[in-house]
Structures are given as structure tokens and as C-alpha cells.
Amino acid sequence: MLTRCSHLAFSFLLVAALALSGCAKRPATTQAAAPAPSGAATSTAAPSGGPQQLQSGGATGGTATPAPTTTARPAVQDFAAVADLTDVFFDFDKYDIRPNDAKTLDANATWLKSNPNHLVLIEGHCDERGTNEYNLALGERRAKSTMNYLVSQGVQANRITIISYGEERPQCTEHTESCWAKNRRAHFLVKPR
């Protein structure tokens, strides 16, 4: 059991972390930062006025990222949905890929590998429960775990950009579990290179 003093210290650290995380209404994005097979680095340069970007440590997330090149990162509005890429869904407060969704991602990876001229944007979404800040972070974890799965299936990391919308773009607006389950998803958009 936490003492009153340690509880206050924990609360202070939590508030400080949330304050440093940025504006909750602005989606967080990450460009996959794994180097291309030739050794060239990918870009994480943001267009002015664009969404907040985070730089990942590559597909596995543990290493330093090479310096960005001058290649501009693709604009989110340039991406569009295609019927061949299916959303995957997540359990409440989770970002693990479920077995049935792994099969969906296998099919998505097959399509992406057979269409190497397309870049992919993975959107992470959450249901309405939780704070905006928490849901933005959870949506980013969902998009990253989805990206990591696709990379493990042979999709080049430098083709993937992720963004989190948290709870801001629900598919369903009812306040029921079946509706919330539709909102806990990773959604795929593509654009030609």
C-alpha cells in the first residue's frame, strides 16, 4: 500500500509526464525509422503545421535512430483506404495482436508485399473510455504493434508511417461494448510512392 507521501510523489510524476506529452487533441505520428536495405535513413521531417511526430527506434524500438535525410515525410491527407487492407481490432486497454487479427495482418502483409509501390499509413484508434492523453498513447502502441507485425512478415519498415487518433475518430458513437469494440482498431491507408 502506498503511503500518502509516495502517493503524492507518484501523482506529481504522472501530472508532469502528462504535461510533457503535449496537446491531447493533436494526433501523434511516427515514421518507421528502420534504415532502408541500402543503409539510407528515412525521414521524420514534418510539414509545417502538421501533426505531432514521434521518432521510433525502428521496428523493434530499442536502438538509436540514424539522422534524418531531407526526404519529406508523406502528408496524411494524401493517403486513402483500399478494400484489400482490413482493419484489425484490439481488446479493451490492450495493444497485443490477437490470433484472428494476425491472420488478417498476414493477408494485409501479402497485399503490401505484392504492391511495393505503395506507402502505408497505420492509424491507431481507441474507444472513448480513458483520458485523451492515455488514448493517444494507447492508439500509438496499437499502431506500432501492428507495424511491427507487418515488418516481421517482410514489409519494409521505411514504407510505414503510424499515427494515433486516440478516441478522436470513432467509427461508432453508441455507448455500448459492441460499439466500443469497433473503435479499438488499427486502420490502414495507402498512397502510391
Side-chain angles (χ1 to χ4, degrees):
M1 179 173 206
L2 294 175
T3 65
R4 180 173 169 82
C5 184
S6 63
H7 180 69
L8 289 173
F10 177 77
S11 297
F12 175 76
L13 290 174
L14 182 60
V15 169
L18 291 175
L20 294 174
S21 67
C23 178
K25 295 293 181 183
R26 192 170 24 162
T29 62
T30 304
Q31 175 77 27
S38 65
T42 60
S43 171
T44 57
S48 61
Q52 174 187 358
Q53 294 183 13
L54 304 172
Q55 198 169 19
S56 73
T60 58
T63 60
T65 305
T69 64
T70 57
T71 306
R73 112 183 213 74
V76 172
Q77 64 269 18
D78 294 340
F79 288 83
V82 293
D84 295 311
L85 296 177
T86 305
D87 290 357
V88 293
F89 298 90
F90 298 88
D91 291 327
F92 174 70
D93 203 28
K94 303 283 185 197
Y95 56 94
D96 302 327
I97 304 297
R98 303 181 300 188
N100 285 342
D101 291 304
K103 293 174 187 174
T104 299
L105 286 177
D106 290 340
N108 288 356
T110 300
W111 187 89
L112 288 166
K113 289 187 289 186
S114 65
N115 291 276
N117 60 329
H118 283 80
L119 301 175
V120 62
L121 173 67
I122 303 171
E123 298 177 343
H125 297 272
C126 300
D127 64 38
E128 65 189 39
R129 297 172 289 179
T131 65
N132 287 338
E133 294 85 3
Y134 181 83
N135 285 332
L136 279 172
L138 181 58
E140 181 180 354
R141 283 188 218 102
R142 288 174 174 167
K144 278 185 180 179
S145 69
T146 303
M147 175 190 79
N148 289 342
Y149 188 92
L150 291 174
V151 169
S152 76
Q153 297 304 305
V155 178
Q156 292 178 324
N158 64 352
R159 294 175 53 200
I160 303 171
T161 302
I162 68 171
I163 187 168
S164 175
Y165 288 109
E167 64 190 71
E168 299 300 318
R169 294 187 178 188
Q171 271 192 333
C172 182
T173 57
E174 297 171 15
H175 305 289
T176 64
E177 181 55 42
S178 63
C179 180
W180 291 329
K182 293 176 187 175
N183 293 332
R184 298 188 303 256
R185 69 193 189 283
H187 180 67
F188 301 88
L189 302 170
V190 297
K191 77 170 238 140
R193 287 192 205 215

